[in-house]
Amino acid sequence: MNAVDVRDLTVAYHEKPVLWDIDLEVPHGVLMAVVGPNGAGKTTLIKAILGLIKPAAGEVLVDGEPYHRQRDRVAYVPQRGSVDWDFPTNVLDVVTMGLYGRLGWIRRPKQEHRALALEALRKVDMESFAKRQISQLSGGQQQRVFLARALVQDADVYFMDEPFQGVDAVTERSIIELLRALRSAGKTVVVVHHDLQTVPEYFDQVLLLNVRRIASGPVDEVFTEENLRTTYGGRIGFMSLVRERSRAATPEAER
Amino acid sequence: MIELLLTDYTIRTVALGAAILGCVSGALGTFAVLREQSLLGDAVSHAALPGIVIAYFVTGSKMSIVLMAGAGLFGALATGLVLSVTAQTRIKFDTALGIALSVFFGLGLVLLTFLQKRPDANQAGLETFLFGQAAALVVSDVVTMAIVGGLALLLVGVFWKEFKIASFDREFGRSLGLRMRIIEALLMFLFVVAIVIGLEAVGVVLMSALLIGPAAAARQWTDRLSLMFGIAALIGALSGVLGAVVSATASSLPTGPIIVLCAGVFVLVSLIGAPHRGLAWRWIRDWRNGRVLRMESVLLDLFALASQHERPDYPHEAAVLDLMANPIAGSTKSLKALEDRGLVTRVGESQWSLTQAGVARVRAILEGMSAGRRGDN
């Protein structure tokens, strides 16, 4: 059984399809990248899987059961730019929001919940920022706060929308280590990713998306020149791609 | 004025009513401002006018609870229209809002004029709903306002966490399985309540300012949602009391504009004077930063000159430093300030040299710069 099964998923805005008949299988315990050009529907796919956008057709299964029955086993990291970081609140409070689903209606977070949030902040090295106003965070710190908010959900499947967007190299490294730790713990992580170069290094599965599913599966098998060309419509030069691939394939220590 | 407040029964009633309406609308305005839905209040209050007139038409009663119900119904109708038009068509939020606001208000004015033409003496007074008349508040009005407003605030307390997440990150809230539509509908309903209880005293034209003003001012003073909520309530209540008492004592000035002016003063003071976010604060900080930067650059100039010689405290002409410094600011002031801090010392008539402390400071600055370049995020 797969961690996530997407079947025949179609999404349309004003009758224009943005996702067409997507089938996707995400096995347990993998890191999967979702790549594709701008407007390919990467964010839409994640939102449709999470039920944030109503699909025109299709279904989503988590562990073989409909998503809405498995919601508490799924965590979501939205794009960093999707919220107002000048909102009057602090880091700990934002991370605690990850527990609101578990708390349910009306119940307020208590000391034990704040302790869980602090624990999640520790995992992203942001413990000392707990009382910091969120407006005073750098881009990388904002991203780590969002990750901590997803970690505190203690889910089995994580969907992350561009967690590497606009973060510095150090943060990128610590985020990828975090993702690997999740995988080691048997979790499944699906990540919308922009940087083709790092796909082979960071991920073991990849979905190539451009409104339709071009290919999906293990990186070794489907992250090919041909598939990429189909996905990006020939906008990627052959040579640059070969360069990217060989660079990405070089073990870290030799760089 | 304070004497009147303590002794005059009417004034006390009016002040209490104004405090309640200011408190409720100010507090709820927190969410309107943070959700960038400030203008929704404007649509609600303008749309309330036809509701008030029709409620009177149908019932023939001018009891405030009846008129409030009509106002609330139409306010909610306008809100619902705006939100569903925005969601279902390509018309943008501000456009839908502008249309709803003016059409409903126009309808209200037509109905009001029509009513006034009829030989019905009882209708007199409905036109005070345009700009408000706090002096018209009686005890039963205030009791109604207190109960309705109190319930509204109680609901905010109960659904605090839900309102917070709906305002900060609604998509994430939905991904948690929280029903954001219900939460938002409840919040809209509370906006309508907050607007409606102020209509009699403040009027439909300006009531929404009391939803936005106190919250915008409160945002300046704090970075905590709960404090912002409390401060907005306080500013709203103060504006209400000040405005209502002034208008009730100083002849027949309409109350709405005066209350709104009071709130405006609070906003102005907060925009300028609040610590951290206030403009004055920022000016002072920029000026200080500028001064420190100019001082540091003179210090670095002196170090650069001296490092061409064998010892770091080699003295140099002030005129040379002046040439190297920012052409407008010059170096004279900076040198004086540096001397006060013991970082440079005057040598002879017109020469300056670094002290030991000055050299240490330069080293620290240079280290800081290279650490900055290493790119910590």
Side-chain angles (χ1 to χ4, degrees):
Chain A
M1 197 189 302
N2 291 309
V4 181
D5 278 293
V6 176
R7 290 185 194 150
D8 308 325
L9 190 71
T10 298
V11 177
Y13 282 133
H14 300 294
E15 291 167 21
K16 184 178 164 238
V18 269
L19 284 177
W20 189 256
D21 203 18
I22 304 288
D23 287 298
L24 176 66
E25 295 178 353
V26 187
H28 280 286
V30 299
L31 295 185
M32 177 183 267
V34 178
V35 299
N38 289 333
K42 303 185 291 288
T43 296
T44 307
L45 174 66
I46 293 223
K47 287 189 175 175
I49 289 175
L50 294 169
L52 302 177
I53 293 174
K54 202 172 179 305
E59 61 173 349
V60 176
L61 302 179
V62 175
D63 253 348
E65 292 216 41
Y67 165 75
H68 62 90
R69 259 190 268 160
Q70 301 274 38
R71 190 177 268 132
D72 50 352
R73 299 184 49 202
V74 177
Y76 173 43
V77 179
Q79 279 187 23
R80 179 159 60 80
S82 65
V83 302
D84 172 17
W85 288 95
D86 197 33
F87 195 86
T89 188
N90 65 27
V91 167
L92 188 65
D93 207 33
V94 171
V95 177
T96 310
M97 287 179 190
L99 296 165
Y100 282 10
R102 203 187 302 171
L103 279 165
W105 284 85
I106 298 173
R107 272 182 65 204
R108 300 281 192 102
K110 299 200 174 60
Q111 200 48 48
E112 55 187 285
H113 302 109
R114 274 185 277 277
L116 286 173
L118 263 181
E119 176 74 33
L121 276 173
R122 192 173 306 135
K123 288 182 192 157
V124 296
D125 281 332
M126 289 281 291
E127 204 185 357
S128 55
F129 289 83
K131 293 289 168 196
R132 186 73 70 94
Q133 286 310 311
I134 59 169
S135 57
Q136 293 167 14
L137 300 177
S138 71
Q141 290 164 346
Q142 292 173 353
Q143 194 63 62
R144 281 187 277 166
V145 169
F146 263 15
L147 284 168
R149 187 176 68 171
L151 289 179
V152 83
Q153 289 181 257
D154 195 26
D156 296 317
V157 185
Y158 292 79
F159 289 95
M160 306 185 178
D161 202 345
E162 303 213 17
F164 299 108
Q165 170 74 44
V167 306
D168 60 298
V170 179
T171 308
E172 177 157 338
R173 196 138 298 266
S174 69
I175 292 177
I176 194 65
E177 264 157 32
L178 193 75
L179 300 191
R180 284 174 180 152
L182 285 173
R183 178 177 55 188
S184 310
K187 317 283 190 181
T188 308
V189 188
V190 179
V191 178
V192 171
H193 195 54
H194 243 130
D195 183 10
L196 291 178
Q197 293 184 37
T198 50
V199 167
E201 183 193 339
Y202 290 172
F203 299 96
D204 28 46
Q205 294 256 329
V206 65
L207 162 67
L208 294 150
L209 185 73
N210 192 350
V211 183
R212 294 157 193 273
R213 186 196 72 173
I214 308 300
S216 70
V219 172
D220 311 339
E221 291 170 24
V222 302
F223 198 64
T224 62
E225 164 68 22
E226 197 192 334
N227 282 337
L228 279 167
R229 198 183 286 274
T230 317
T231 311
Y232 287 85
R235 265 176 282 165
I236 288 195
F238 175 71
M239 284 316 290
S240 72
L241 200 75
V242 169
R243 216 165 42 235
E244 276 167 14
R245 289 227 58 185
S246 63
R247 246 172 67 188
T250 313
E252 227 163 273
E254 290 173 31
R255 286 210 190 160
Chain B
M1 197 168 103
I2 291 180
E3 256 178 59
L4 274 174
L5 204 57
L6 294 174
T7 55
D8 188 305
Y9 181 74
T10 317
I11 300 282
R12 218 161 49 197
T13 310
V14 168
L16 196 59
I20 292 166
L21 77 90
C23 172
V24 174
S25 61
L28 276 160
T30 301
F31 290 102
V33 166
L34 290 176
R35 294 170 57 80
E36 296 176 13
Q37 287 178 326
S38 303
L39 289 174
L40 209 55
D42 232 7
V44 172
S45 68
H46 280 76
L49 187 60
I52 290 166
V53 181
I54 290 172
Y56 169 74
F57 239 170
V58 173
T59 64
S61 155
K62 281 204 292 190
M63 271 175 61
S64 63
I65 189 82
V66 171
L67 300 183
M68 270 160 88
L73 204 66
F74 270 70
L77 185 69
T79 316
L81 266 177
V82 169
L83 293 181
S84 64
V85 162
T86 311
Q88 318 232 332
T89 72
R90 294 188 181 203
I91 293 174
K92 297 266 189 306
F93 180 67
D94 58 339
T95 312
L97 200 80
I99 296 169
L101 183 153
S102 35
V103 169
F104 274 93
F105 188 57
L107 176 67
L109 286 179
V110 169
L111 290 175
L112 196 60
T113 318
F114 174 69
L115 202 62
Q116 282 169 339
K117 293 259 161 67
R118 294 201 326 172
D120 170 8
N122 191 33
Q123 54 81 17
L126 278 186
E127 73 281 353
T128 58
F129 272 92
L130 280 177
F131 293 108
Q133 193 59 268
L137 289 180
V138 293
V139 174
S140 68
D141 294 336
V142 175
V143 170
T144 313
M145 284 162 71
I147 292 171
V148 175
L151 281 175
L153 291 185
L154 189 72
L155 280 173
V156 176
V158 169
F159 294 103
W160 182 258
K161 143 175 145 279
E162 283 75 15
F163 287 165
K164 181 160 64 179
I165 199 166
S167 304
F168 176 64
D169 195 349
R170 76 182 297 274
E171 293 259 282
F172 182 74
R174 284 181 67 200
S175 83
L176 295 174
L178 292 169
R179 304 283 294 276
M180 285 298 146
R181 266 196 210 156
I182 295 177
I183 294 167
E184 282 169 342
L186 182 61
L187 200 50
M188 289 302 149
F189 171 71
L190 293 181
F191 288 164
V192 171
V193 169
I195 292 277
V196 164
I197 63 173
L199 287 180
E200 189 170 3
V202 183
V204 298
V205 178
L206 292 172
M207 183 56 210
S208 72
L210 217 49
L211 193 70
I212 309 163
R219 179 69 189 92
Q220 292 290 105
W221 298 95
T222 178
D223 276 326
R224 274 177 60 186
L225 184 61
S226 50
L227 273 180
M228 182 180 167
F229 189 78
I231 295 172
L234 188 70
I235 291 177
L238 281 176
S239 311
V241 172
L242 279 173
V245 172
V246 167
S247 89
T249 50
S251 79
S252 58
L253 285 171
T255 320
I258 296 176
I259 290 184
V260 169
L261 282 180
C262 291
V265 170
F266 279 109
V267 172
L268 194 67
V269 168
S270 308
L271 281 181
I272 295 172
H276 303 295
R277 296 177 79 92
L279 286 173
W281 189 272
R282 223 183 287 168
W283 291 328
I284 291 170
R285 199 180 46 203
D286 287 352
W287 176 74
R288 267 199 201 140
N289 284 346
R291 204 177 59 158
V292 168
L293 280 177
R294 282 195 297 276
M295 267 165 55
E296 287 186 347
S297 85
V298 169
L299 207 60
L300 290 172
D301 289 344
L302 201 53
F303 183 78
L305 288 172
S307 53
Q308 290 163 10
H309 301 272
E310 65 281 6
R311 52 196 180 89
D313 60 342
Y314 197 94
H316 287 274
E317 283 291 332
V320 178
L321 291 165
D322 229 19
L323 273 176
M324 294 172 79
N326 177 325
I328 296 162
S331 67
T332 317
K333 268 192 195 167
S334 297
L335 281 169
K336 288 244 168 62
L338 287 165
E339 189 182 23
D340 292 343
R341 286 166 177 71
L343 300 175
V344 300
T345 178
R346 196 189 283 266
V347 180
E349 210 24 43
S350 61
Q351 290 195 326
W352 295 86
S353 76
L354 288 168
T355 63
Q356 264 184 346
V359 174
R361 172 64 73 85
V362 169
R363 298 245 151 84
I365 294 169
L366 292 174
E367 238 164 64
M369 280 180 176
S370 61
R373 259 200 303 278
R374 276 200 296 274
D376 93 321
N377 194 29

